[in-house]
């Protein structure tokens, strides 16, 4: 059995030496890099050959890759590297790595075409000046073969270890048994659907009730599919930290599930954000500043070997291994993503524009199985990944403190910004086309900042850096602008009259992604199989459309193991929680919560559409029922405060927890038994009615023909069902859910509630009339707003 390795991976493993050096060396984006390669190739003669696929073997190694270009007339093989800024600042270890790659490609080319010698050229292309710097060397085939075999020999021991590990892993996975005595109700059909999707190389949308054990129910079948499908990696992607913890717990349980007591030879890695892993946040990532960057690549081999021998690398374990060997935990984790079987990470590690796991998958041609936990969150997260915004106030503040060399580029940008907004007299405006003049000046400002930061690395922690990265993101998203996105500008200071002069600043320019399908579709195409699972993925076509899933994506709706008699669902008629009716709604909501608590004291959660609404209800509740214990979510709660909030829910405690729908306590929270016996949801969860969402409706309607439901109804009801799902967590739980708003009684809303619920319509609890008639709206759909 051969071990396949990409040329780049082979060279990075064997040829990198010295310090970790992440000083400011502004690199082009992937799109800029591809465009640069194309420009270089276009300058060559008609016989120039680009993107040449090459392969070679050495003992058990199969080395493969694509050489950038070959000029037959010169017998010259080119390795093209795009850059911006001062080429002399390129770190030596980068240049050494580039030559190592060029020499490997050189030998593979000599071998493929029977060449006795070849000229190798490193072509450094500056994307700003569009100038090339070419460094060439003539090499014999014999010398290149020796270099290739030396690298392969250095890698071979590791490759043989990896082959042996994979054989042990796949053999163990063949006999892997479910880690519990039996499947929970609903777990088996979920597992069967995941296994089938992996076996057919397709995508799956799996809606499965909260509390049935979806994590194990998806991990187990995908691991079982590894041997038969020759899968290389499993990526378990989560939206929030609790999801990572559950996945790691499930993988740890599976590693211990072998019948003979031995651990399953499965390497597990947890990846976290850089700011959570950094040991020295006050130091730059380079050897002269940080002790964990000094000699990083020299100590990496021993740390890597120790880590893979450890096998289970959650954040604390990975940190301990890294610090024992004196290297950075975060960048050790980045390296180990290549050598671990299962990686648990945030969505952005696979779905973001520069995602590590997606990049490695494509570069190494891995066959990966992807599990997307709580996948209803992916739409909003992906929109954020592919959006950008620039604040004019930040530019004004920056101009006051910017170095002299940047004054003129920033002033030109300010003038163009003012020109763009000059005739805007409303608070909000949509731009039908990209402002080419503004974008040109923005690019020029970025180029000037690039040159300055290259010379002044100490300025990296300044407001200049923050604005610079925001501007780069804006430029990247502008390059990808299409009907899936929206360009708008907002004014904080609206002119009093059309003739009034607009105050300086106060403008926000936003590129908002509305439909991330075009960006996510290549991610799904790169995986062998992707399963997206959640308790709320209905209707499936909404997620297929907005996320860019293939038309062949399968759908499974797992039957709930819970019985209707376990959960009393009460739809409260006669109360409107619309913004204009909230003042009238406070008293009946307070009466409803107090009446239920008096009838059945225990722990409850009460969800509201905003902190403002929460505080209004809470204030009245405290006044009228001071003896009932209560506690409330507050804006921007840190992890410790969130933990304290949840610790109030014990089997012996009593009281009401007030929280915001869609927030930290509305999903991913497990409070079984008497820890939570009921919930009140005083909102449909609909996004606010504002100019931005009106534009979203129009774009959704133009693309899918159901703009209101795609923008308001489906996302709102998904939040409601998630919040209600906190109540029934096990097959022995009993509880009650109040859905407080007359709109819950409408048929189109009730149809989106879980099928196992048997909701009962209950009138307003106060004897006085409290229902406020909704305004007459010609479109019945919008009467829900």
């Amino acid at each position: 059995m051969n071990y396949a390795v990409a040329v780049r991976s082979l060279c990075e493993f064997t040829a990198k030496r010295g310090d970790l050096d992440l000083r400011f060396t502004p690199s082009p984006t992937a799109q800029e890099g591809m465009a640069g390669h194309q420009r270089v190739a276009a300058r060559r003669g008609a016989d120039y050959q680009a993107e040449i696929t090459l392969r070679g073997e050495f003992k058990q190694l199969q080395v493969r890759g694509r050489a950038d270009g070959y000029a037959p007339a010169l017998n010259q093989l080119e390795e093209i590297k795009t850059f911006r800024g001062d080429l002399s600042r390129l770190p030596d270890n980068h240049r050494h790595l580039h030559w190592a790659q060029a020499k490997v490609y050189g030998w593979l080319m000599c071998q493929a075409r029977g060449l006795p010698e070849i000229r190798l050229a490193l072509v450094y292309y500056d994307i700003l000046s569009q100038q090339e710097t070419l460094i060439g060397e003539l090499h014999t085939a014999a010398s290149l073969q020796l270099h290739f075999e030396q690298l392969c020999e250095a890698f071979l021991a590791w490759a043989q270890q990896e082959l042996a590990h994979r054989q042990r892993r796949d053999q163990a996975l063949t006999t892997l048994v479910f880690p519990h005595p039996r499947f929970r109700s609903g777990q088996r059909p979920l597992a069967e659907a995941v296994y089938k999707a992996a076996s057919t190389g397709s995508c799956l949308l799996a809606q499965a009730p909260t509390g049935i054990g979806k994590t194990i129910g998806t991990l187990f079948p995908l691991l079982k599919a590894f041997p038969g499908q020759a899968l290389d990696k499993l990526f378990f992607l989560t939206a929030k930290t609790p999801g990572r913890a559950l996945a790691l717990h499930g993988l740890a349980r599976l590693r211990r599930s072998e019948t003979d007591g031995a651990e399953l030879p499965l390497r597990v890695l947890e990846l976290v954000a850089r700011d959570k892993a950094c040991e020295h946040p006050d130091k730059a990532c380079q050897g002269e500043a940080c002790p964990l960057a000094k000699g990083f690549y020299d100590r990496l081999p021993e740390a890597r070997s120790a880590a893979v021998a450890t096998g289970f690398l959650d954040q604390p374990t990975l940190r301990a291994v890294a610090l024992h060997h004196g290297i950075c935990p975060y960048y050790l984790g980045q390296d180990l993503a290549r050598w671990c079987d299962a990686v648990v990470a945030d969505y952005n590690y696979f779905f973001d524009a520069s995602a590590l796991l997606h990049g490695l998958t494509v570069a190494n041609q891995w066959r990966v199985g992807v599990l997307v936990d709580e996948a209803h969150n992916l739409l909003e997260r992906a929109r954020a990944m592919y959006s950008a915004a620039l604040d004019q106030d930040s530019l004004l503040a920056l101009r006051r403190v910017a170095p002299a060399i940047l004054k003129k580029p920033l002033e030109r940008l300010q003038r163009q910004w003012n020109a763009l907004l000059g005739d805007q007299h409303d608070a909000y405006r949509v731009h039908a086309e990209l402002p080419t003049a503004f974008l040109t000046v923005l690019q020029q400002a970025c180029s000037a900042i690039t040159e300055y930061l290259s010379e002044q690395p100490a300025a990296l922690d300044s407001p200049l850096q923050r604005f610079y990265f925001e501007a780069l993101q804006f430029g990247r998203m502008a390059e990808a602008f299409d009907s899936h996105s929206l360009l708008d500008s907002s004014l904080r200071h609206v002119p009093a009259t059309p003739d009034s002069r607009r105050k300086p600043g106060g403008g926000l320019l936003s590129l908002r992604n509305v439909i991330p399908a075009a960006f996510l579709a290549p991610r799904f195409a790169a995986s062998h199989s992707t399963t997206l699972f959640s308790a709320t993925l209905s209707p499936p076509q909404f997620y297929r459309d907005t996320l860019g899933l293939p038309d062949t994506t399968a759908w499974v709706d797992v039957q709930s193991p819970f019985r209707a008699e376990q959960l009393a669902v009460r739809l409260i008629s006669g109360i409107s929680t619309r913004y204009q009716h909230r003042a009238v709604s406070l008293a009946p909501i307070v009466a409803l919560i107090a009446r239920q608590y008096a009838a059945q004291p225990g722990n409850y959660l009460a969800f509201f559409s905003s902190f403002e609404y929460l505080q209004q209800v809470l204030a009245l509740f405290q006044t009228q029922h001071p003896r009932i214990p209560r506690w409330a979510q507050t804006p921007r709660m840190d992890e410790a405060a969130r933990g304290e909030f949840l610790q109030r829910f014990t089997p012996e405690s009593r009281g009401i927890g007030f929280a915001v729908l869609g927030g930290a306590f509305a999903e991913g929270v497990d409070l079984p038994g008497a820890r939570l016996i009921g919930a009140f949801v005083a909102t449909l969860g609909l996004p606010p009615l504002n100019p931005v969402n009106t534009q979203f409706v129009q774009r959704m309607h133009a693309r899918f023909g159901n703009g209101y439901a795609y923008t308001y109804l489906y996302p709102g009801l998904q939040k409601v069902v998630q919040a209600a799902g906190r109540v029934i967590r096990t097959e022995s739980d009993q509880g009650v859910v109040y859905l407080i708003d007359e709109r819950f009684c409408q048929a189109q809303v009730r149809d989106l509630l879980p099928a196992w619920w048997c909701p009962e319509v209950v009138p307003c609890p106060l004897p006085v009339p409290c229902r406020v008639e909704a305004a007459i709206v010609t479109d019945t759909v919008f009467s829900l707003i």
Side-chain angles (χ1 to χ4, degrees):
M1 181 179 180
N2 284 343
Y3 185 92
V5 62
V7 170
R8 180 166 180 170
S9 296
L10 172 69
C11 295
E12 286 181 340
F13 189 94
T14 56
K16 271 194 171 181
R17 296 289 183 270
D19 298 348
L20 180 68
D21 192 340
L22 296 175
R23 278 176 289 194
F24 186 78
T25 52
S27 57
T29 65
Q31 288 179 322
E32 290 172 332
M34 288 188 289
H37 279 64
Q38 291 168 359
R39 291 193 192 102
V40 171
R43 293 174 176 178
R44 304 301 189 250
D47 63 342
Y48 189 77
Q49 301 166 21
E51 297 291 322
I52 306 162
T53 299
L54 296 169
R55 293 177 181 271
E57 292 187 0
F58 179 79
K59 297 181 180 179
Q60 291 176 286
L61 281 184
Q62 182 184 85
V63 182
R64 60 198 181 192
R66 280 200 301 252
D68 290 329
Y70 176 66
L74 301 174
N75 188 28
Q76 179 167 289
L77 187 74
E78 297 183 339
E79 179 73 6
I80 302 169
K81 301 296 181 184
T82 56
F83 75 100
R84 61 167 83 208
D86 185 355
L87 183 59
S88 67
R89 293 186 176 276
L90 184 73
D92 289 339
N93 58 358
H94 287 202
R95 202 184 301 272
H96 181 71
L97 178 62
H98 298 163
W99 271 120
Q101 292 176 221
K103 289 178 181 179
V104 171
Y105 283 125
W107 162 242
L108 296 179
M109 192 69 171
C110 288
Q111 183 186 46
R113 304 200 179 183
L115 303 175
E117 64 180 18
I118 193 169
R119 182 172 181 81
L120 303 179
L122 291 182
V123 181
Y124 290 102
Y125 177 79
D126 188 337
I127 64 165
L128 299 180
S129 68
Q130 300 188 10
Q131 298 298 311
E132 297 178 30
T133 300
L134 189 148
I135 307 170
E137 295 179 355
L138 184 65
H139 290 267
T140 66
S143 66
L144 293 175
Q145 180 181 7
L146 178 62
H147 172 265
F148 172 75
E149 292 179 351
Q150 286 174 340
L151 294 188
C152 289
E153 198 68 62
F155 185 74
L156 194 58
W158 181 266
Q160 290 169 338
Q161 170 190 292
E162 292 302 289
L163 280 172
H165 164 73
R166 179 157 182 154
Q167 289 170 343
R168 291 194 306 272
R169 181 200 73 185
D170 286 354
Q171 184 177 0
L173 289 175
T174 302
T175 59
L176 180 67
V177 296
F178 193 67
H180 300 292
R182 62 180 180 85
F183 284 94
R184 292 184 191 176
S185 178
Q187 248 181 350
R188 182 179 289 277
L190 173 62
E192 290 173 349
V194 174
Y195 185 83
K196 183 177 180 180
S199 299
T200 57
S202 58
C203 290
L204 170 68
L205 279 167
Q207 181 168 272
T210 297
I212 70 165
K214 292 191 290 292
T215 302
I216 285 290
T218 53
L219 283 170
F220 172 72
L222 188 52
L223 288 173
K224 288 292 289 184
F226 261 55
Q229 297 303 311
L231 295 181
D232 297 299
K233 308 284 180 185
L234 181 157
F235 299 150
F236 192 103
L237 308 174
T238 72
K240 299 177 182 178
T241 302
R244 284 208 315 270
L246 286 172
L248 290 166
H249 177 77
L251 287 164
R253 184 70 183 85
L254 285 163
R255 290 180 84 246
R256 296 192 302 269
S257 68
E258 289 202 305
T259 53
D260 60 2
E263 280 194 338
L264 176 71
L266 185 79
R267 298 175 187 160
V268 176
L269 172 68
E270 179 185 13
L271 293 177
V272 300
R274 180 173 167 178
D275 59 350
K276 292 185 178 180
C278 182
E279 293 291 317
H280 299 291
D282 59 325
K283 296 179 173 62
C285 290
Q286 50 106 350
E288 296 175 7
C290 179
L292 300 181
K294 184 71 173 176
F296 177 90
Y297 292 109
D298 300 326
R299 295 193 291 275
L300 177 60
E302 285 190 11
R304 180 195 292 132
S305 296
V308 298
T310 301
F312 190 84
L313 298 161
D314 57 5
Q315 185 182 1
T317 306
L318 177 65
R319 177 178 182 269
V321 171
L323 296 184
H324 179 74
H325 290 85
I327 65 173
C328 173
Y330 177 75
Y331 286 101
L332 175 59
Q334 302 278 293
D335 180 83
L336 290 171
R338 297 160 173 81
W339 314 115
C340 287
D341 307 302
V343 182
V344 180
D346 185 85
Y347 288 169
N348 68 288
Y349 271 97
F350 190 76
F351 291 112
D352 192 71
S354 56
L356 171 73
L357 296 179
H358 174 258
L360 290 174
T361 297
V362 173
N364 294 285
Q365 301 175 40
W366 287 337
R367 288 168 66 85
V368 302
V370 180
L371 298 175
V372 184
D373 181 36
E374 301 292 358
H376 59 274
N377 289 300
L378 183 56
L379 174 59
E380 285 303 317
R381 284 290 304 278
R383 282 172 170 167
M385 292 174 197
Y386 295 100
S387 295
L390 290 175
D391 191 333
Q392 197 175 19
D393 287 348
S394 297
L395 176 59
L396 289 173
L398 181 59
R399 284 181 58 201
R400 289 193 286 269
V401 298
I405 196 171
L406 295 179
K407 292 286 188 182
K408 287 186 178 180
L410 294 178
E411 287 171 2
R412 286 196 294 269
L413 180 59
Q414 177 65 31
R415 287 197 298 271
Q416 277 297 329
W417 204 326
N418 286 333
L420 177 64
L421 303 181
D423 61 347
Q424 181 171 342
H425 299 286
D426 297 321
Y428 180 80
R429 177 182 179 182
V430 176
H431 299 264
E433 297 179 351
L434 290 174
T436 53
F438 173 83
L439 291 173
T440 298
V441 175
L442 180 67
Q443 184 181 36
Q444 292 169 353
C446 286
S447 298
I449 298 173
T450 295
E451 293 178 13
Y452 173 77
L453 290 178
S454 297
E455 299 291 334
Q456 305 287 337
L460 279 178
D461 294 326
S462 68
L464 177 63
Q465 183 203 29
R466 290 191 293 275
F467 180 82
Y468 173 67
F469 287 145
E470 290 169 356
L472 288 180
Q473 172 70 357
F474 196 93
R476 285 192 287 266
M477 291 300 98
E479 289 178 2
F481 184 73
D482 206 337
S483 59
H484 51 59
S485 295
L486 166 70
L487 174 65
D488 60 39
S489 53
S490 305
L491 300 182
R492 295 191 186 92
H493 315 300
V494 181
T497 68
D499 298 327
S500 302
R501 292 190 62 185
R502 189 173 67 84
K503 294 181 180 180
L508 184 69
L509 196 61
S510 301
L511 270 168
R512 306 176 196 268
N513 179 246
V514 182
I515 307 168
F519 299 110
L520 300 187
R523 293 338 194 228
F524 297 125
S527 74
H528 173 72
S529 173
T530 299
T531 293
L532 303 94
F533 60 97
S534 168
T536 49
L537 286 179
S538 186
Q541 194 59 43
F542 168 66
Y543 292 96
R544 289 193 187 101
D545 288 343
T546 56
L547 299 180
L549 286 159
D551 292 337
T552 56
T553 299
W555 160 256
V556 61
D557 189 1
V558 178
Q559 186 175 356
S560 175
F562 308 129
R563 306 176 309 281
E565 55 267 26
Q566 285 182 258
L567 183 66
V569 180
R570 294 166 185 166
L571 312 182
I572 307 302
S573 66
I575 298 179
S576 168
T577 62
R578 294 177 176 89
Y579 184 80
Q580 64 268 35
H581 305 147
R582 285 183 187 169
V584 183
S585 73
L586 302 181
I589 291 174
V590 167
L592 186 70
I593 295 173
R595 188 174 68 179
Q596 173 61 32
Y597 184 87
Q600 189 179 6
N603 291 319
Y604 295 86
L605 273 167
F607 295 101
F608 301 89
S609 55
S610 66
F611 283 105
E612 179 186 15
Y613 196 15
L614 180 157
Q615 287 297 329
Q616 290 172 351
V617 177
L618 179 61
L620 184 60
F621 190 86
Q622 289 176 159
T623 300
Q624 295 188 355
H625 306 282
R627 295 185 179 181
I628 298 179
R630 67 221 164 261
W631 51 98
Q633 179 182 359
T634 57
R636 295 177 294 280
M637 290 177 83
D638 59 24
E639 205 162 317
R642 291 195 297 269
E644 185 179 342
F645 182 96
L646 291 174
Q647 287 169 9
R648 300 286 297 267
F649 295 87
T650 70
E652 297 77 27
S653 65
R654 303 287 184 271
I656 316 292
F658 288 75
V660 170
L661 191 70
F665 308 113
E667 62 178 81
V669 171
D670 194 24
L671 300 170
R675 294 181 66 191
L676 184 69
I677 64 169
F680 306 88
V681 183
T683 172
L684 263 71
L686 304 181
L689 183 61
N690 57 38
V692 174
N693 283 329
T694 299
Q695 291 297 318
F696 273 48
V697 169
Q698 293 176 7
R699 276 157 175 73
M700 289 289 198
H701 191 79
R703 179 75 67 89
F704 308 118
N706 199 356
Y708 164 74
Y710 272 47
T711 304
Y712 285 99
L713 189 57
Y714 298 155
L717 268 292
Q718 165 256 304
K719 294 177 184 177
V720 170
V721 176
Q722 280 288 330
R726 301 311 97 205
V727 178
I728 302 298
R729 308 297 295 178
T730 73
E731 294 180 35
S732 61
D733 283 357
Q734 296 282 333
V736 61
V737 167
Y738 286 86
L739 302 183
I740 308 171
D741 194 290
E742 60 191 6
R743 290 168 289 179
F744 282 114
C745 303
Q746 297 183 19
Q748 66 187 113
V749 176
R750 293 182 65 165
D751 288 346
L752 294 172
L753 302 178
W756 68 276
W757 288 6
C758 289
E760 170 193 6
V761 177
V762 176
C764 175
L766 292 184
V768 295
C770 59
R771 184 178 186 276
V772 179
E773 294 293 337
I776 297 174
V777 183
T778 55
D779 187 342
T780 56
V781 189
F782 278 88
S783 68
L784 287 168
I785 298 177

